[in-house]
Amino acid sequence: MEADRRVHVHVDVEVEFGLSSISNLSLDSDSASTSVVVPGVVRFSRDHGGVPQLQFLAGGWEGAERDIVGLDIGNVQIFQLGPVQSVCMAGQLDMSKENMYSRGFKIQFKAEEDSRSFHQKFKQWKGEFACQEPRVSSGALATSRSKFDEKIDASSAKMYFHYYGQLLHQQNMLQDYVRTGTYYAAVIENGADFSGRVVVDVGAGSGILSLFAAQAGARHVYAVEASEMADYARKLIAGNPSLSERITVIKGKVEEVELPEKADILISEPMGTLLVNERMLESYVIARDRFLVAEGKMFPTVGRIHVAPFSDEYLYVEIATKALFWQQHSYYGVDLTPLHEAAFQGYFSQPVVDAFDPRLLVAPPMFHIIDFTKVKEGDLYEVDIPLKFTAAVGSKVHGIACWFDVLFNGSTVPRWLTTAPGSPTTHWYQLRCVLSQPFFVMSGQEITGRLHMIAHNAQSYTIYLTLSAKMWGPGAEQGGILQTSTGKFDLKEPYYRISQPQGYQVPQDQQQHPLFQPQGLNVQPQDIEETELLEPAQNSGIDFS
Ligand SMILES: C[S@@+](CC[C@H](N)C(=O)[O-])C[C@H]1O[C@@H](n2cnc3c(N)ncnc32)[C@H](O)[C@@H]1O
């Protein structure tokens, strides 16, 4: 065992625990060797500057000099593998490097009671360390703000994790049977991708996907969850003893925690409204870069945002009418009209979330692909989608409708989870951006524009939409724009227009009608080559004739 720091006998030892075995895990990517030394000791101590340390002493036979490794407690993470077994990991202090897994020890206590007291003591010392000022050691800061903290407003994060810490919200997702059932099928049907593999569940919530992965034969699953739900996940997993031995719940953000080994496959459900809301895709990508082996798999693998213009006079009137309240000239003697314009714009800045009839679409949809295996985290800060449609009917255009799907590119059965209109409704429904200035198009007329989404620090996006109708009929060859309409929307503040629990669904006897085959719906995974997936197809899918 190599010693990080030789510690002499006069150190202030607080408490120590005898170990029946201690293994120094060699975690560099070229070697997977472990050297086992029996017995050993782990102890809480302080270095000469009084800084709390976790020290490992290997050997321990009478009179012999023991190798000692001292790790600064602020750098150490501990994972309990079983009643008497744990892994201690320590990252680098050097901020110029990535936070690598520089040291790892697998330790086995003599008794469960020792293990329990050790973990209690660790919590206490870790707490003490957290209360200390960030300090400089070897010219580097010992604590740092994670990527998550740097870009996300603390109050937004607090509310976000509070929300996910509640069972009722996890239940809402679990009761979306389209969602959970598709995940279950994707995992179980692709058992070959999980069997004997190390899995990381990114944002594990209740732990359901970790349990699915373990059912599919995963060798070990690390379930990373930042909210208080991690404690419930532990409970749920412990209550499923045939699987629990192979699952370790780690409470913390994927941007911050350390794991004892790399993953062969990541599983996650990071999709928000319009795919990108909540900005959790960025955490999924960070987890990929931190934990996934080269060529590792990701479930889901790819996501697509679908966009199409729609016509819905009822919806438009409903929104415009809400602002009528502010047109009263004498509300208890007060003229409200000075605020009418602001209220009108305010209502139109809310994207509408509901399930709509796909017959409201004015043109076949197009889609934008996000390949989770390749996209850079920074690419998700701004999503820019150029729009181009050909109107299939003469109609008034009130805005754009959006939905998404994701592909689990399993090696046995690729599977899609879709949130398309007309498909079985999910808890994501669909999303529509309604323009305060609608415009008319004729059948065959081209509609162009841009959907530009810019991430903000409240875990969502500001959406800028521009739609233009190009010249149509004689003289259109020369090009030119007839009219343009723009809108600005806050994805964080949607208008949930859900009246029926199930929303709109195409009646079963009409599901074969071409109008009910929006692109994406009628695409079977087996029909899609991966190369096709990465080239956005234009206007394929719907037969509007
Ligand atoms: C949409 S829920 C999915 C929960 C669960 N995987 C499921 O499918 O039922 C996303 C979960 O990820 C967690 N989460 C979001 N961002 C995270 C992050 N950066 N690190 C760890 N957990 C995160 C949330 O607290 C939430 O429980």
Side-chain angles (χ1 to χ4, degrees):
M1 182 187 287
E2 258 183 277
D4 263 354
R5 251 167 256 186
R6 289 273 166 177
V7 183
H8 300 289
V9 274
H10 57 264
V11 290
D12 169 19
V13 176
E14 175 104 353
V15 60
E16 64 179 35
F17 300 87
L19 301 169
S20 57
S21 81
I22 175 168
S23 317
N24 181 4
L25 304 173
S26 169
L27 289 169
D28 62 83
S29 48
D30 301 332
S31 98
S33 66
T34 60
S35 63
V36 181
V37 185
V38 181
V41 167
V42 58
R43 72 188 185 193
F44 293 91
S45 186
R46 289 177 198 277
D47 69 8
H48 301 296
V51 176
Q53 277 202 334
L54 193 61
Q55 296 179 348
F56 298 87
L57 291 76
W61 49 92
E62 269 309 299
E65 193 183 322
R66 302 194 289 192
D67 275 337
I68 303 173
V69 177
L71 304 174
D72 289 345
I73 215 115
N75 265 351
V76 178
Q77 300 233 15
I78 299 202
F79 311 106
Q80 199 165 358
L81 298 181
V84 291
Q85 235 184 26
S86 292
V87 167
C88 307
M89 302 297 305
Q92 295 273 12
L93 268 178
D94 187 349
M95 296 252 304
S96 62
K97 297 179 192 148
E98 280 289 297
N99 207 8
M100 301 284 286
Y101 321 115
S102 56
R103 285 246 168 251
F105 297 97
K106 194 162 157 193
I107 53 179
Q108 177 125 13
F109 293 94
K110 290 177 179 154
E112 238 178 292
E113 184 47 41
D114 287 352
S115 169
R116 240 194 315 275
S117 327
F118 170 80
H119 283 275
Q120 260 172 15
K121 188 77 190 161
F122 179 73
K123 247 189 186 162
Q124 181 194 329
W125 271 47
K126 190 93 177 161
E128 184 186 321
F129 180 89
C131 294
Q132 292 179 355
E133 287 293 300
R135 70 202 169 80
V136 175
S137 165
S138 320
L141 279 178
T143 57
S144 65
R145 273 157 65 81
S146 71
K147 206 154 209 176
F148 186 98
D149 295 339
E150 274 166 18
K151 66 185 180 188
I152 302 299
D153 182 66
S155 60
S156 167
K158 192 172 173 196
M159 277 171 63
Y160 178 77
F161 289 120
H162 175 75
Y163 175 91
Y164 278 122
Q166 295 172 55
L167 277 173
L168 81 126
H169 298 301
Q170 298 287 338
Q171 180 180 338
N172 185 38
M173 292 183 288
L174 296 176
Q175 284 183 314
D176 177 344
Y177 293 102
V178 176
R179 180 201 88 113
T180 312
T182 307
Y183 268 87
Y184 181 73
V187 173
I188 300 302
E189 290 172 356
N190 291 294
D193 294 325
F194 289 86
S195 184
R197 305 300 165 112
V198 175
V199 181
V200 172
D201 181 355
V202 179
S206 62
I208 191 72
L209 302 183
S210 298
L211 288 157
F212 290 173
Q215 283 178 8
R219 175 159 65 79
H220 204 86
V221 187
Y222 296 96
V224 184
E225 171 58 42
S227 77
E228 294 302 312
M229 190 50 54
D231 299 331
Y232 288 111
R234 277 197 187 109
K235 207 165 180 176
L236 184 66
I237 288 162
N240 288 267
S242 63
L243 305 169
S244 60
E245 279 289 293
R246 288 180 286 123
I247 305 175
T248 305
V249 175
I250 294 154
K251 193 174 185 176
K253 299 192 188 90
V254 290
E255 290 83 354
E256 294 165 12
V257 300
E258 302 294 341
L259 300 184
E261 55 190 327
K262 289 260 180 183
D264 302 301
I265 179 164
L266 297 188
I267 188 160
S268 186
E269 196 272 77
M271 298 92 75
T273 318
L274 197 49
L275 187 61
V276 293
N277 194 28
E278 300 178 31
R279 298 188 63 181
M280 195 185 154
L281 285 183
E282 292 162 44
S283 301
Y284 190 33
V285 165
I286 289 174
R288 175 198 70 195
D289 295 342
R290 298 192 68 214
F291 306 133
L292 193 62
V293 295
E295 307 300 317
K297 278 197 163 279
M298 293 176 80
F299 263 46
T301 321
V302 162
R304 303 188 299 183
I305 297 172
H306 299 256
V307 187
F310 75 92
S311 182
D312 191 343
E313 188 75 7
Y314 283 107
L315 174 61
Y316 180 84
V317 170
E318 182 185 324
I319 295 173
T321 308
K322 284 171 187 262
L324 279 183
F325 170 81
W326 298 96
Q327 275 197 334
Q328 296 178 76
H329 288 280
S330 182
Y331 175 79
Y332 296 101
V334 175
D335 183 1
L336 296 182
T337 58
L339 295 183
H340 175 258
E341 179 57 24
F344 183 84
Q345 293 306 334
Y347 283 120
F348 276 97
S349 74
Q350 287 188 281
V352 176
V353 173
D354 68 352
F356 65 87
D357 184 335
R359 284 172 296 189
L360 296 176
L361 298 181
V362 169
M366 53 176 296
F367 63 78
H368 172 83
I369 290 187
I370 301 178
D371 182 345
F372 305 137
T373 65
K374 296 200 175 83
V375 70
K376 294 196 185 77
E377 187 234 347
D379 294 345
L380 296 166
Y381 295 1
E382 201 176 326
V383 181
D384 203 358
I385 309 178
L387 303 175
K388 189 171 165 188
F389 309 98
T390 304
V393 285
S395 180
K396 202 168 176 181
V397 173
H398 291 101
I400 54 152
C402 309
W403 61 94
F404 69 86
D405 52 22
V406 293
L407 170 69
F408 302 91
N409 202 13
S411 39
T412 312
V413 185
R415 255 204 188 264
W416 287 93
L417 169 58
T418 181
T419 65
S423 284
T425 310
T426 69
H427 76 288
W428 289 285
Y429 299 89
Q430 291 96 38
L431 180 131
R432 287 184 284 172
C433 295
V434 185
L435 292 165
S436 58
Q437 297 291 327
F439 57 90
F440 287 94
V441 291
M442 302 299 289
S443 175
Q445 194 168 352
E446 198 171 277
I447 303 165
T448 57
R450 181 182 186 196
L451 181 63
H452 190 197
M453 304 193 269
I454 298 176
H456 59 63
N457 64 2
Q459 291 167 282
S460 191
Y461 284 78
T462 306
I463 301 173
Y464 297 91
L465 172 66
T466 307
L467 275 189
S468 300
K470 297 230 358 206
M471 292 260 294
W472 172 86
E477 288 303 294
Q478 282 76 46
I481 300 283
L482 278 181
Q483 49 199 330
T484 292
S485 187
T486 59
K488 179 181 170 190
F489 307 86
D490 186 357
L491 189 53
K492 178 98 178 177
E493 300 288 341
Y495 161 35
Y496 285 101
R497 187 173 176 252
I498 320 289
S499 47
Q500 300 293 318
Q502 276 312 297
Y504 175 80
Q505 239 164 302
V506 176
Q508 206 138 42
D509 59 340
Q510 294 174 30
Q511 281 180 3
Q512 295 315 309
H513 191 282
L515 264 177
F516 297 113
Q517 305 294 315
Q519 182 270 329
L521 268 181
N522 56 346
V523 181
Q524 296 302 309
Q526 57 270 29
D527 298 338
I528 294 190
E529 292 294 326
E530 210 169 340
T531 45
E532 274 179 60
L533 250 180
L534 303 175
E535 289 163 18
Q538 295 293 322
N539 305 339
S540 60
I542 303 185
D543 178 357
F544 274 83
S545 55

